[in-house]
Amino acid sequence: MAPVITPPGECPQCWQHAHDRSIHRKLRPREDCKPCLDHMHNGCPYIVPKPKSSWW
């Protein structure tokens, strides 16, 4: 599968974990993904660039 470029304003890890099923495939039923849990509790560790505004 070709890597998908993360859209502006999105966290790269959140985007990849939400759209790449192979990451969570190795988990057993009812097992949580540790990076996803860390993101839910502590927020995104990345400085996410905002999308460019074309209003001005």
Side-chain angles (χ1 to χ4, degrees), residues 23-37:
I23 295 171
H24 295 120
R25 189 170 290 149
K26 65 182 180 217
L27 297 174
R28 293 178 297 207
R30 306 192 70 125
E31 182 181 7
D32 293 324
C33 174
K34 299 216 184 289
C36 288
L37 287 176

